[in-house]
Amino acid sequence: MSTANALLPSLMQRLGVASSAYSGGTLVVCSPIDGSELGRVPTHGQQEVAEIVRAAHESFLTWRNTPAPRRGELVRLLGEELRLSKNDLGQLISLEAGKVLSEGLGEVQEMIDVCDFAVGLSRQLYGLTIASERPGHRMMETWHPLGVVGVISAFNFPVAVWSWNAALALVCGDSVVWKPSEKTPLAALACQALFERAAKRFGDAPEGLSQLLIGARDVGEALVNHARVALVSATGSTRMGREVGPNVARRFGRSLLELGGNNAVIITPSADLDLAVRGILFAAVGTAGQRCTTTRRLIVHHSVRQALTERLKKAYQALPIGNPLTPGTLVGPLIDKASFDAMQQALVKAQEEGGVVFGGERVLHEQFPKAYYVKPAIVEMPAQTETVRHETFAPILYVLAYEHFEDAVALQNDVPQGLSSAIFSNDLREAETFLGSAGSDCGIANVNIGTSGAEIGGAFGGEKETGGGRESGSDAWRAYMRRATNTINYSKELPLAQGVRFDV
Ligand code: UN1
């Protein structure tokens, strides 16, 4: 059997990345599919960060004066390049991040969708007209480009998260510096090549409008601390956000944080269990449990607990686990050994806390000794213990039972994170209560749909330790612009607001 890396050279060539861009460097990239080496990517040093940000700022100074609909044309072309390369980029995501191909392709589709959204937005960066209290005056609100946007992204959505930020930032008149995860620089190199193709077709995009910063934590820190980076949009762990947030705030920069999730699904007695099983399955084991929106907790009414867990266990047993590029596979590998170890530790701890574990063991180690495939786990818990309250980035689904609906909502909210949540119920009162002000405290709350797989048209993000940021659709664009309030006097008088008199 040939190793996963055999596919790489032709993919990279078609995507427009020269082999020198991923050989001879110091950042070793391996495929989670079989542990084979994909490349050695040259990295930037801390000193280069200043140079990259300087170029990005120069670029911003020109780009901000390009009319927004024209800026949208560049993003339209980027979307076109992504459409043309959807298959190749989707495969590359599978190779480098281990996602099953349909999810790799889905990630590229998410990028295409957000480009389309941003193109429309480029003609809709609306401000307001506000009634002035003074005669002969007009007041308005205008949105202006912000500056350099730093994007820090994680391995699990190695390219879509960049596109949510970059597509919006570019139409908003900003320039972009992207530090991808150290685990997935190849997909980032491919996106950069596609961006450059789009920029070439566009014609007069300023140099350095969207750049890559490849390296370890130190270059990320230099980006975060650079005074010229107006907005830092960071996706990753809560631990990372705890450092990024205060560091950016210290210099009065802006940050947009997308951090951990500990997403729950509530199953009420009236739930359609056929729908629930399918919804839970995709959300709990899709991307091998490595989405920030993955369902990690199931809060089930005691009357349906047994029936539902039995059905889920049956479905879990039938899951095709294996090479994500093989058609029919639904569960690919974990990203690396550290991730596998963290999963095993969580399972041991959960057991110590009274949990009963189903699945969770390593499989396919003979075929793939250097890769980490696991059976997704279901853990029936006696209570919402410390381990349940912690986000373990692996396919572990904790099951908790409830008796009264209010207790289910309280359990759903009683974790530090607040990204996504869902309820399966055909009871209108329960569903609406869950969506109401005393219901789910998450940024995303769904009815009869799982917690993952959000569309790009909505604002994406969450509360509490999830960081509070909103990306992608709705009015998330406002984070990428600065607001100016303008008052214009077209009268011959100079009345002061609040009726103040100040005449000599
Ligand atoms: C992430 O896991 O970082 O809603 C993003 C979803 C995807 C995005 C996930 N659209 O699951």
Side-chain angles (χ1 to χ4, degrees), residues 110 156-157 161 164 235 290-293 452-454 460:
E110 205 164 316
N156 67 325
F157 271 78
V161 170
W164 299 347
T235 300
Q290 302 171 107
R291 287 193 189 211
C292 54
T293 49
S452 71
F460 183 88

Side-chain angles (χ1 to χ4, degrees), residues 82-415:
L82 286 164
R83 278 184 168 86
L84 290 171
S85 293
K86 182 174 172 181
N87 267 316
D88 289 336
L89 188 55
Q91 280 194 48
L92 179 58
I93 295 168
S94 283
L95 266 187
E96 200 182 25
K99 288 188 186 194
V100 297
L101 187 56
S102 124
E103 291 193 59
L105 294 171
E107 175 160 358
V108 184
Q109 188 58 46
E110 205 164 316
M111 304 173 81
I112 294 167
D113 294 343
V114 83
C115 285
D116 286 357
F117 178 87
V119 175
L121 192 63
S122 71
R123 290 182 185 268
Q124 301 174 75
L125 302 169
Y126 300 135
L128 294 171
T129 302
I130 301 161
S132 169
E133 67 190 53
R134 286 169 280 188
H137 282 58
R138 186 166 69 82
M139 203 166 20
M140 65 181 186
E141 205 168 75
T142 317
W143 292 87
H144 296 296
L146 184 67
V148 179
V149 175
V151 179
I152 297 175
S153 60
F155 78 86
N156 67 325
F157 271 78
V159 286
V161 170
W162 166 71
S163 72
W164 299 347
N165 286 282
L168 260 58
L170 290 170
V171 299
C172 288
D174 303 328
S175 56
V176 179
V177 178
W178 176 22
K179 188 207 167 291
S181 161
E182 286 158 76
K183 293 169 190 165
T184 53
L186 300 178
L189 288 168
C191 288
Q192 184 66 22
L194 295 179
F195 173 81
E196 275 159 20
R197 275 185 195 164
K200 203 165 163 201
R201 285 169 65 192
F202 180 78
D204 57 348
E207 275 294 301
L209 187 55
S210 188
Q211 299 172 81
L212 264 185
L213 182 59
I214 306 261
R217 196 185 158 136
D218 60 325
V219 296
E221 278 168 5
L223 181 69
V224 162
N225 292 328
H226 200 296
R228 273 270 153 85
V229 180
L231 169 68
V232 176
S233 174
T235 300
S237 65
T238 297
R239 190 189 53 72
M240 179 271 285
R242 254 188 237 291
E243 291 186 16
V244 170
N247 283 340
V248 177
R250 199 164 292 125
R251 59 176 178 83
F252 298 101
R254 231 189 249 184
S255 60
L256 193 170
L257 302 175
E258 294 290 356
L259 312 174
N262 193 352
N263 319 297
V265 172
I266 296 175
I267 309 287
T268 74
S270 67
D272 176 336
L273 289 193
D274 291 340
L275 219 63
V277 168
R278 288 175 52 203
I280 295 163
L281 203 63
F282 172 63
V285 309
T287 329
Q290 302 171 107
R291 287 193 189 211
C292 54
T293 49
T294 292
T295 300
R296 308 202 177 281
R297 298 178 295 140
L298 212 54
I299 303 170
V300 197
H301 191 263
H302 68 88
S303 65
V304 285
R305 174 179 172 147
Q306 206 186 345
L308 180 70
T309 35
E310 269 168 25
R311 288 185 63 173
L312 277 175
K313 284 179 184 173
K314 225 170 135 194
Y316 268 50
Q317 252 152 352
L319 281 171
I321 305 169
N323 187 331
L325 288 167
T326 305
T329 302
L330 292 182
V331 184
L334 294 177
I335 189 71
D336 56 18
K337 181 172 187 301
S339 166
F340 171 72
D341 291 343
M343 176 179 180
Q344 299 308 308
Q345 271 166 26
L347 291 176
V348 168
K349 266 187 80 185
Q351 248 165 335
E352 285 167 8
E353 292 165 351
V356 180
V357 177
F358 170 87
E361 64 271 24
R362 186 169 172 198
V363 292
L364 302 172
H365 35 293
E366 273 158 25
Q367 194 182 345
F368 301 112
K370 291 197 288 177
Y372 294 86
Y373 293 81
V374 290
K375 280 199 172 160
I378 295 175
V379 188
E380 296 186 69
M381 294 299 295
Q384 186 147 274
T385 59
E386 195 192 310
T387 307
V388 179
R389 289 162 53 82
H390 177 80
E391 180 195 42
T392 300
F393 219 58
I396 303 177
L397 180 64
Y398 299 106
V399 183
L400 300 159
Y402 79 89
E403 176 119 27
H404 303 293
F405 182 68
E406 309 75 65
D407 298 337
V409 176
L411 271 176
Q412 131 69 32
N413 289 343
D414 188 23
V415 290

Side-chain angles (χ1 to χ4, degrees), residues 259 412-418 441-442 462-468:
L259 312 174
Q412 131 69 32
N413 289 343
D414 188 23
V415 290
Q417 312 83 353
D441 63 1
C442 292
E463 306 299 337
K464 302 191 293 186
E465 286 191 5
T466 303

